[in-house]
Amino acid sequence: MPVPCAFLFDMDGTLLDSRRAVVGAVAAALGRAYAHCGLPPAPPDLGLIEDCMGLPGKEYFARAFTPATVPAPRRAEFAAAYARFTSQEEIAAIRAGGTALYDGVEDALAGLRGRGHELLLFSNADAPYFRGIVAAHGLDRFIARSLCIGEAEARGLATDKAGMVRVLAADPSRTVVVGDRASDLEAGRAAGARTVGCLYGFGSPDELRAADWKVDGPREWLDLPLDGRAGG
């Protein structure tokens, strides 16, 4: 019988497809931020918004707009307004049903939990969005402990994803970090965990090449050879 371990999941791009809701919310918030700051409106760069998905909140809102559209001395003020409006727009999108778990996620989480594995959740998102997603999709049915970077920083627990791995995982060496971006894999390796790269998420296959295992869908989590055998 395989010894149970902990699975620590990233959220967006790993458990759920939030692209439509998040990109739309961020684009709407960007327009509100230009108006709030009295700046001429500029069309959102949807490719840039998507490319920045998965970054910590502060870094995201400092990068997910065209710099030339905001005078340098006002960029911090602009980013703060951008973040505030995005949170409001994202919550509205969640309530409107704009996000969806990937096919197979619920079955896979239930299967892992049924085998005795502990399931954990972390994210670079801010707290309102993170908790909104957890509530909207009932993730607490499966997840034992969860933490986002907004909560971790506010509580002085961690300043990055590697720190969150150490906070959430009782034994990183018996933990598998599952994510869709290179930052997820790097956080897992830095803490001493094994890693799974989700090829169906937001990241490219190239940025996931260093993962211990790669999967094309959530149900493949159940077949990982954790102890050298498939189905561990």
Side-chain angles (χ1 to χ4, degrees):
M1 176 70 69
V3 177
C5 66
F7 278 76
L8 175 50
F9 295 94
D10 170 59
M11 191 171 72
D12 296 272
T14 300
L15 297 186
L16 76 150
D17 186 354
S18 56
R19 193 186 311 267
R20 179 169 60 88
V22 169
V23 171
V26 172
L30 183 60
R32 292 175 63 186
Y34 284 118
H36 175 79
C37 294
L39 297 170
D45 183 337
L46 300 182
L48 177 62
I49 289 172
E50 287 195 16
D51 289 344
C52 289
M53 288 181 72
L55 294 175
K58 289 180 181 177
E59 185 177 354
Y60 184 96
F61 294 110
R63 291 178 55 180
F65 65 91
T66 304
T69 63
V70 181
R74 302 197 62 192
R75 286 177 190 161
E77 171 199 0
F78 181 85
Y82 190 10
R84 184 170 67 255
F85 294 138
T86 294
S87 180
Q88 295 169 4
E89 297 287 345
E90 285 177 337
I91 294 301
I94 293 168
R95 290 174 177 165
T99 60
L101 296 177
Y102 287 113
D103 182 51
V105 163
E106 291 189 341
D107 291 343
L109 293 178
L112 291 171
R113 189 178 180 191
R115 294 176 184 178
H117 300 301
E118 183 178 48
L119 308 186
L120 313 168
L121 181 67
F122 72 162
S123 173
N124 272 331
D126 289 333
Y129 173 76
F130 181 70
R131 292 300 163 193
I133 290 290
V134 169
H137 296 288
L139 293 177
D140 282 338
R141 291 173 292 157
F142 309 106
I143 302 298
R145 295 188 301 283
S146 57
L147 186 68
C148 69
I149 194 64
E151 295 167 338
E153 290 179 338
R155 293 158 58 187
L157 297 174
T159 58
D160 57 22
K161 273 195 159 180
M164 285 193 283
V165 176
R166 298 185 182 98
V167 169
L168 288 167
D171 181 359
S173 71
R174 291 291 307 163
T175 299
V176 179
V177 173
V178 185
D180 68 306
R181 302 304 302 255
S183 58
D184 302 319
L185 310 185
E186 291 162 1
R189 287 198 302 271
R194 290 177 290 177
T195 59
V196 176
C198 297
L199 298 171
Y200 56 85
F202 301 146
S204 68
D206 186 60
E207 72 178 280
L208 300 176
R209 65 185 183 279
D212 293 297
W213 301 289
K214 302 177 190 69
V215 297
D216 291 311
R219 290 187 178 89
E220 293 182 25
W221 304 332
L222 295 166
D223 297 323
L224 295 174
L226 302 177
D227 59 354
R229 297 175 297 174

